[in-house]
């Protein structure tokens, strides 16, 4: 093998121009192929093969309810529920008119059915409190129905003040409403009018039972093949949102999330990080090449060989997989960080041979005869480690393994064929400088003398690594690997803070609505479950008792709520007269008002408004009464409701919960926020114990974690076995192969020790580092073991040590670029790779030389 590789390098050197031109032609073909044929797949759902049982269940659920797939979710929040509803409705109308960007638009939380049956859907205690609150406000309501303006409101306040002047204290139940009046009046007087929420004023906490968000669900027109297929639709949605009045005034906010937005923005972050990381790592690699090789005649061929290998690997990726995913897009950084080692090994050793024999042909042949087999073994073992990913059930990583494994073979081919031709054209010269580290000879001797202590320390580290291995944590929340600063992730985080909109739900298909009711009852009893919903959840219970309560309230309130309203619009002068009147009544009541009575604060607000311009008065009137007519109309409709049944349910609502064949959907909401380790597993395990066929975000997330962990466990075992086979095949001695494998195991345990000590959990993204460690670490250890087989006794002072050190620095540059990526998943991968690289160097430069220094070379073994 050494002779063959030496002759191959000499052959390439003699035909340098033809090899160079042929390489350029092949590179151009590969680049053209990649430009035209390499696609991007941002759908993280396709990272797993559809044959997995949990993927089949999720796909079946998606086919049954296609309206929940490929959505952009616009979450609207506002200072008041009315502003949120108005903004969501206006947004839905605007998007429905845009057929270029949107297929369907739906408002799931807005329906005339809920306006009419809303009171019946409350529990009896909630309904009783609400009706009592409304009846207590009847004097207010009478004035407001007759005159739905600030003039009518001030007349109602005059009645309260008159009662207080007669010694009748303001009812405690009125204080929240009066406080809201005070805040609205104070803001208007200060020039910042904000609409008053009559829903909260009349309903109290019941107004916020649905949570702070209103939703618009949109199926966008996607751009197939684009880096961000839904980006144009997302931008159109946000343009429409920014044109809405409440959004422009800052009183409402529209956030966009959903799978499409999350995937688009996540891939954009990953691709941007990979691009900048690649550029940064290339710059640092050039720096380390300069320090390691000190001559452009060596640097240029190594850099050109690396660039050629990257282009060819990209072309190979086009043929092998066709589309990159959010994980395999990192192949370029990994290739640069690992493949540069081959060129450095050749160039550093060539410089040493040139110092002894200035003839380039002879030095090149000798270099490849010496280093070629070592580079071949390193390339094959690294490739084997990567290719061990391909049989796993995690498609994202299996494709990365295929691309990177093929890339290592391509890098070896470039090192054997293209690099000698470039070296022949650049004609490096002998330099009067050391090829290795002469000063490290003392360290070699010290390690040989202290061999026992070094081995004892290594054993202690191994034992500690094994001891803390059970404490190595795995973060199963995939959201923690996403960039939290993307708009879609910020929106999702806001939704998670509200228990009504927790995204980690579980979906179940029951054979019928009756079965769904029975199963829902069992699920609701679980301590991990906060709420269970099915179609029956939208049908009121105890209707007879509730209707009686509502009927009694309507008898009391009907004369008030059905009175005729004033037709003439209110003018600024009318408001000033009303302010003067209510202030006279409050002045008369002041001796009877406590120091903190809200009527005192309202009087101060009215005093400022009394001298304000007309425009300010009219703005205050609009703020106080903007939502009043709509709320009065909703109140009349709700109080005049009758019994409802399944036939009254809207067809759109029924489609979301019931299939034509009769199967009924159940949605299970977790009690926990799902942001702590173990909460997701506990929730999914408890629900699946009752409903094994469950699916939904929580279940797919849980199974994804299990699939990924299992895939990497299999990848690590496969990689270790493949590397062991390659070592036995090339080294032909079990003892020598065992030396390399022992170093790999020790490096892995030291890495585990570092992860636990630094409290760095494994996650979906960085778990790839552990199998990668096997491929990275084997090359460094192979070089020293093969030198020892050739009779070397000084390891740290050798050119090989110099090459390993600068190879490690270049690899660290690539991994470091990942560590500083904006995407947390990429960054965590980079940090774990750096930690594992440090553990590998510790073993390679301290433990392995000490062990080899105490062993006789193979030729003198007994």
């Amino acid at each position: 093998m050494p002779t063959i590789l030496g002759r191959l390098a000499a052959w390439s050197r003699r035909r340098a121009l033809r090899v160079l031109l042929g390489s350029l032609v092949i590179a151009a073909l590969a680049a053209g192929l990649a430009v035209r044929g390499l696609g991007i797949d941002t759908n993280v759902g396709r990272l797993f093969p559809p044959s997995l049982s949990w993927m089949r269940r999720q796909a079946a659920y998606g086919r049954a309810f296609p309206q929940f797939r490929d959505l952009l979710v616009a979450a609207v929040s506002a200072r008041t529920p009315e502003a949120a509803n108005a903004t969501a409705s206006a947004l839905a109308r605007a998007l429905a008119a845009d057929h270029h960007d949107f297929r369907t638009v739906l408002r799931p939380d807005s329906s005339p059915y809920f306006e009419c049956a809303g009171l019946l859907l409350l529990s009896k205690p909630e309904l009783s409190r609400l009706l009592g609150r409304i009846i207590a406000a009847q004097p207010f309501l009478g004035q407001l129905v007759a005159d739905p303006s600030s003039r009518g409101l001030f007349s109602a306040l005059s009645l309260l003040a008159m009662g207080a002047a007669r010694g009748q204290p303001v009812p405690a139940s009125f204080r929240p409403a009066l406080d809201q009046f005070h805040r609205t009046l104070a803001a208007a007087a200060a020039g910042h009018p904000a609409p008053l929420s009559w829903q909260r004023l009349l309903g109290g906490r019941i107004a916020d039972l649905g949570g702070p968000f209103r939703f618009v669900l949109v199926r966008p027109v996607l751009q197939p093949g684009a880096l961000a297929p839904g980006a144009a639709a997302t931008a159109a949605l946000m343009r429409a949102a920014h044109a809405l009045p409440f959004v422009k005034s800052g009183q409402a906010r529209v956030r966009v999330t959903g799978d499409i937005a999350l995937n688009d923005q996540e891939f954009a972050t990953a691709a941007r990080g990979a691009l900048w990381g690649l550029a940064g790592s290339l710059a640092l690699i050039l720096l380390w090449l300069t320090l390691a090789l000190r001559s452009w005649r060596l640097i240029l061929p190594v850099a050109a060989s690396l660039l050629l290998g990257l282009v060819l690997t990209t072309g190979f990726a086009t043929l092998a997989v066709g589309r990159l995913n959010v994980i395999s897009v990192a192949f370029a950084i990994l290739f640069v960080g690992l493949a540069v080692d081959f060129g450095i090994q050749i160039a550093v050793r060539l410089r040493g041979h040139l110092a002894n024999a200035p003839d380039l042909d002879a030095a090149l042949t000798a270099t490849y005869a010496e280093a070629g087999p070592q580079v071949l073994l390193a390339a094959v073992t690294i490739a084997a480690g990567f290719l061990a990913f391909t049989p796993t059930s995690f498609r994202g990583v299996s494709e990365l393994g295929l691309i990177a494994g093929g890339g290592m073979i391509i890098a070896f081919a470039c090192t054997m064929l293209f690099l000698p031709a470039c070296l022949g054209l650049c004609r490096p010269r002998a330099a009067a400088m050391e090829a290795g580290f002469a000063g490290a000879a003392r360290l070699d001797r010290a390690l040989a003398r202290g061999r026992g202590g070094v081995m004892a320390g290594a054993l202690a580290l191994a034992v500690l690594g094994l001891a803390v291995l059970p404490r190595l944590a795995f973060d199963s929340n995939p959201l923690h690997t996403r960039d939290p600063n993307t708009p879609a992730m910020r929106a999702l985080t806001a939704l998670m803070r509200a228990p009504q909109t927790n995204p980690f739900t579980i979906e179940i298909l029951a054979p019928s609505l009756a079965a769904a009711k029975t199963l829902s009852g069992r699920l609701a009893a679980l301590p991990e479950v906060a709420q269970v919903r099915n179609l029956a959840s939208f049908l009121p219970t105890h209707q007879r008792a509730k209707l009686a309560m509502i009927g009694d309230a309507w008898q009391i309130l009907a004369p008030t709520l059905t009175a005729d309203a004033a037709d003439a619009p209110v003018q600024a002068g009318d408001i000033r007269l009303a302010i003067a009147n209510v202030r006279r009544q409050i002045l008369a009541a002041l001796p009877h008002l406590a120091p903190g009575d809200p009527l005192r604060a309202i009087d101060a607000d009215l005093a400022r408004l009394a001298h304000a311009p007309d425009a300010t008065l009219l703005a205050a009137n609009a703020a106080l009464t903007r939502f009043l007519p709509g709320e009065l109309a909703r109140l009349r409709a709700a109080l005049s409701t009758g019994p409802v049944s399944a036939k009254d349910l809207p067809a759109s609502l029924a489609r979301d919960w019931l299939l034509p064949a009769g199967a009924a959907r159940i949605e299970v909401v977790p009690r926990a926020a799902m942001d702590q380790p173990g909460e997701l597993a506990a929730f999914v395990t408890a629900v699946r114990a009752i409903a094994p066929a469950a699916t939904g975000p929580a279940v797919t997330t849980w199974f994804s974690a299990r699939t990924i962990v299992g895939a990497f466990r299999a990848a690590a075992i496969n990689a270790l076995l493949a590397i062991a086979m390659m070592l036995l095949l090339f080294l032909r001695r079990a003892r020598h192969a065992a030396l390399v494998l022992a170093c790999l195991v020790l490096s892995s345990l030291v890495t585990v020790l570092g992860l636990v000590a630094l409290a760095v959990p494994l996650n979906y993204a960085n778990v790839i580092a552990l199998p990668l460690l096997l491929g990275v670490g084997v090359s460094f250890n192979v070089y020293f073991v093969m030198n020892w087989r050739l009779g070397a006794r000084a390891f740290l002072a050798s050119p090989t040590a110099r090459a390993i050190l600068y190879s490690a620095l270049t690899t660290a540059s690539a991994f470091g670029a990942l560590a500083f990526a904006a995407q947390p998943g990429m960054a965590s991968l980079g940090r774990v790779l750096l930690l594992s690289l440090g553990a590998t160097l510790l073993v390679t430069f301290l433990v392995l030389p000490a062990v080899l220094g105490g062993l006789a070379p193979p030729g003198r073994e007994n």
Side-chain angles (χ1 to χ4, degrees):
M1 181 65 71
T3 304
I4 295 174
L5 295 178
R7 289 177 179 175
L8 182 62
W11 177 89
S12 175
R13 153 83 187 89
R14 288 193 299 271
R15 295 163 178 79
L17 283 176
R18 278 178 283 180
V19 171
L20 181 62
L21 290 175
S23 300
L24 291 176
V25 170
I26 296 173
L29 291 174
L33 179 66
V35 169
R36 289 190 298 270
L38 187 60
I40 300 295
D41 187 357
T42 61
N43 189 336
V44 296
R46 287 194 282 267
L47 292 178
F48 301 94
S51 58
L52 296 174
S53 59
W54 58 273
M55 285 290 290
R56 290 200 303 270
R57 288 195 295 270
Q58 181 64 23
Y61 176 80
R63 289 191 297 270
F65 297 100
Q67 62 268 40
F68 300 133
R69 291 164 42 192
D70 300 330
L71 292 178
L72 286 175
V73 178
V76 182
S77 58
R79 295 176 183 174
T80 64
E82 294 95 329
N85 277 320
T87 302
S89 297
L91 179 62
R93 289 192 298 271
L95 300 184
D98 182 358
H99 302 292
H100 178 268
D101 294 299
F102 308 106
R103 299 182 187 277
T104 61
V105 180
L106 177 67
R107 280 233 37 216
D109 46 16
S110 176
S111 168
Y113 172 79
F114 294 117
E115 299 291 341
C116 294
L119 293 181
L120 290 173
L121 290 170
L122 297 173
S123 67
K124 286 195 291 185
E126 289 171 340
L127 178 61
S128 176
R129 286 194 296 270
L130 175 60
L131 293 176
R133 189 183 181 99
I134 295 172
I135 291 171
Q138 187 178 19
F140 268 104
L141 293 176
Q143 296 290 332
L144 293 171
V145 169
D147 185 0
S149 69
S150 57
R151 179 178 55 196
L153 173 62
F154 296 155
S155 296
L157 290 174
S158 296
L159 294 178
L160 281 180
M162 290 171 62
R166 297 190 187 100
Q168 302 172 359
V170 176
S173 60
F174 280 23
R175 288 190 65 94
L178 294 175
D179 287 336
Q180 290 186 55
F181 291 148
H182 158 56
R183 288 192 291 269
T184 304
L185 290 169
H192 306 291
L196 174 67
S197 173
W198 287 91
Q199 280 188 33
R200 287 193 181 126
L201 192 144
L202 294 175
R205 289 180 298 175
I206 291 176
D208 295 312
L209 282 179
F213 296 99
R214 304 295 180 267
F215 294 97
V216 180
L217 305 183
V218 181
R219 294 194 72 184
V221 175
L222 301 178
Q223 307 298 321
L227 290 177
T234 302
L237 192 157
M238 292 308 299
R239 284 195 301 271
H242 290 150
L244 300 177
F246 282 118
V247 176
K248 288 197 291 186
S249 67
Q251 297 178 50
R253 181 177 180 183
V254 178
R255 301 173 173 93
V256 179
T257 186
D259 286 341
I260 290 176
L262 286 167
N263 293 341
D264 284 349
Q265 294 169 21
E266 188 66 12
F267 187 84
T269 301
R272 185 170 58 250
L275 182 62
W276 283 106
L278 180 60
S281 62
L282 285 173
L284 285 173
I285 284 170
L286 287 176
L287 172 64
W288 299 127
L289 287 177
T290 301
L291 295 176
L293 305 178
R294 307 290 182 89
S295 170
W296 70 267
R297 298 176 186 274
L298 291 172
I299 296 169
L300 182 59
V302 172
S305 178
L306 183 66
L307 182 59
L308 174 65
L310 181 58
V311 172
L312 295 181
T313 301
T314 306
F316 169 74
T318 307
L319 294 174
V321 300
R323 302 176 74 85
L324 298 178
N325 56 57
V326 293
I327 294 179
S328 61
V329 73
F331 84 91
I333 292 178
L334 294 177
F335 176 89
V336 169
L338 297 173
V340 72
D341 170 62
F342 303 160
I344 290 177
Q345 290 292 333
I346 297 296
V348 169
R349 300 194 197 194
L350 175 61
R351 196 177 65 178
H353 281 287
L354 284 173
N356 298 324
D359 179 66
L360 178 60
D361 287 340
L364 201 59
T365 301
T367 297
Y368 272 87
E370 172 194 324
Q374 299 179 15
V375 172
L376 173 60
L377 179 55
V380 169
T381 50
I382 294 174
F386 277 121
L387 292 173
F389 297 174
T390 56
T392 65
S393 54
F394 187 24
R395 177 181 289 174
V397 172
S398 69
E399 292 179 357
L400 174 62
L402 179 60
I403 297 170
M408 292 300 100
I409 303 302
I410 291 171
F412 173 75
C414 292
T415 304
M416 293 297 113
L417 292 172
F418 180 76
L419 182 57
C422 283
L423 289 169
L425 291 173
C426 292
R427 303 197 63 79
R429 301 164 186 170
M433 56 186 296
E434 61 177 0
F437 299 116
R442 290 193 298 271
L443 186 55
D444 271 320
R445 292 190 292 271
L447 287 175
R449 289 193 302 269
R451 177 172 178 261
V454 172
M455 294 185 67
L459 181 61
L461 288 175
V463 171
L464 280 174
L466 284 171
V468 302
L469 185 58
R471 298 176 58 188
L472 184 61
F474 184 85
D475 184 355
S476 61
N477 190 335
L479 300 181
H480 293 167
T481 65
R482 293 180 177 267
D483 182 0
N485 297 313
T486 63
M489 266 303 298
R490 289 200 298 267
L492 186 60
T493 302
L495 293 179
M496 290 177 65
R497 285 196 288 265
Q500 300 92 337
T501 51
N502 191 314
F504 287 104
T505 57
I506 290 179
E507 307 292 339
I508 302 166
L509 273 180
S512 65
L513 184 57
K517 293 178 184 178
T518 302
L519 185 57
S520 296
R522 296 175 61 196
L523 292 168
L526 294 173
E528 295 85 0
V529 172
Q531 187 179 12
V532 183
R533 291 190 284 257
N534 58 64
L535 185 60
S537 304
F538 302 97
L539 290 172
T541 58
H542 309 293
Q543 289 195 49
R544 180 175 298 178
K546 292 178 184 178
L547 286 170
M549 296 166 63
I550 294 171
D552 291 343
W554 179 241
Q555 286 185 347
I556 298 172
L557 295 169
T560 300
L561 293 176
T562 56
D564 294 332
D567 293 330
V570 69
Q571 303 295 326
D574 301 327
I575 300 173
R576 292 187 195 279
L577 288 174
I579 289 175
N581 180 57
V582 71
R583 291 201 67 208
R584 281 195 300 272
Q585 301 300 333
I586 294 176
L587 179 64
L590 282 178
H592 304 279
L593 298 178
D597 194 291
L599 283 176
R600 290 180 178 272
I602 289 173
D603 181 59
D605 300 328
L606 293 174
R608 289 194 295 273
L609 282 172
H611 300 91
D614 288 355
T616 302
L617 283 178
L618 293 174
N621 176 73
L624 287 167
T625 62
R626 175 164 187 167
F627 298 128
L628 177 59
E631 186 60 25
L632 291 174
R634 280 190 291 271
L635 184 59
R636 293 187 195 101
L639 289 173
S640 58
T641 188
V644 297
S645 62
K647 63 182 177 60
D648 298 310
L649 292 173
S652 59
L653 180 65
R655 282 196 303 271
D656 288 345
W657 295 91
L658 196 65
L659 296 179
R665 169 179 162 235
I666 302 172
E667 183 180 69
V668 188
V669 181
R671 188 175 302 278
M674 298 293 137
D675 57 355
Q676 297 298 321
E679 291 178 344
L680 180 65
F683 175 52
V684 174
T685 302
V687 172
R688 290 190 72 246
I690 296 175
T695 186
V699 174
T700 56
T701 298
W702 185 67
F703 270 109
S704 296
R706 295 184 63 186
T707 302
I708 291 172
V709 172
F712 282 108
R713 186 183 297 114
I717 294 172
N718 292 343
L720 195 60
L721 292 175
I723 289 171
M725 290 176 60
M726 292 299 103
L727 291 173
L728 286 171
L729 179 64
F730 278 83
L731 299 180
R732 299 181 181 277
R733 295 196 182 185
R735 182 185 180 192
H736 301 170
L739 270 175
V740 178
L741 292 174
C743 290
L744 289 181
V745 172
L746 179 58
S747 299
S748 300
L749 291 174
V750 173
T751 300
V752 169
L753 186 59
L755 292 173
V756 174
L758 297 175
V760 177
L762 296 180
N763 56 43
Y764 288 100
N766 66 27
V767 72
I768 187 178
L770 299 185
L772 278 178
L773 166 65
L774 301 178
V776 175
V778 69
S779 61
F780 294 167
N781 297 317
V782 158
Y783 296 140
F784 275 170
V785 170
M786 294 190 75
N787 281 356
W788 167 74
R789 284 162 57 93
L790 294 174
R793 305 294 292 168
F795 300 99
L796 301 182
S798 66
T800 301
R802 182 185 187 90
I804 289 175
L805 176 62
Y806 282 101
S807 292
L809 289 173
T810 55
T811 303
S813 299
F815 294 167
L818 287 175
F820 291 100
Q823 195 219 30
M826 284 271 194
S828 67
L829 171 60
R831 287 191 290 269
V832 175
L833 284 171
L834 282 175
L835 183 59
S836 66
L837 181 62
T840 299
L841 287 178
L842 175 70
V843 174
T844 300
F845 279 121
L846 292 181
V847 179
L848 186 57
V851 173
L852 295 177
L855 298 177
R860 289 181 286 178
E861 287 179 335
N862 294 326

